[in-house]
Amino acid sequence: MEQSGVTGLKVDQNVAVEVIRNVPFCTHEALAQMVGVSDDVARGWVEMRTVPSVKIGRRRVINLARIMTDLSHGKTIFCSGDYGDE
């Protein structure tokens, strides 16, 4: 697993993928713990639209189902703005 600041996420291993397989949404704190980065980095990914997120009530959560779909279609690099249209 390699990450570069708050602008991108590169997935090289299946370890994190197995952890999130059956969960549709999570907080940025939970994602940070799953992939081994700080809470601030994961929050930055949400703010920069590097990972897909949805607003549920007042809270914005990460759409893990969308990440899993993208990974299954071969996506390995998540860049700032990838999910800006959501």
Side-chain angles (χ1 to χ4, degrees):
M1 166 63 196
E2 175 186 325
Q3 60 86 21
S4 56
V6 297
T7 59
L9 165 68
K10 182 175 179 182
V11 179
D12 289 331
Q13 300 172 351
N14 291 328
V15 176
V17 175
E18 292 174 13
V19 172
I20 65 174
R21 190 164 305 228
N22 296 316
V23 183
F25 302 102
C26 75
T27 63
H28 73 273
E29 296 95 346
L31 180 69
Q33 186 177 28
M34 282 188 260
V35 298
V37 299
S38 72
D39 289 354
D40 291 335
V41 168
R43 184 182 315 111
W45 288 340
V46 172
E47 291 172 359
M48 299 294 291
R49 306 287 192 226
T50 303
V51 294
S53 65
V54 294
K55 195 162 186 178
I56 299 177
R58 294 177 150 179
R59 188 164 183 110
R60 184 161 287 279
V61 293
I62 296 162
N63 185 341
L64 295 176
R66 175 75 185 270
I67 292 174
M68 291 304 301
T69 299
D70 291 346
L71 289 171
S72 71
H73 287 102
K75 185 172 178 79
T76 58
I77 299 175
F78 294 76
C79 298
S80 177
D82 279 359
Y83 299 96
D85 60 336
E86 298 178 353

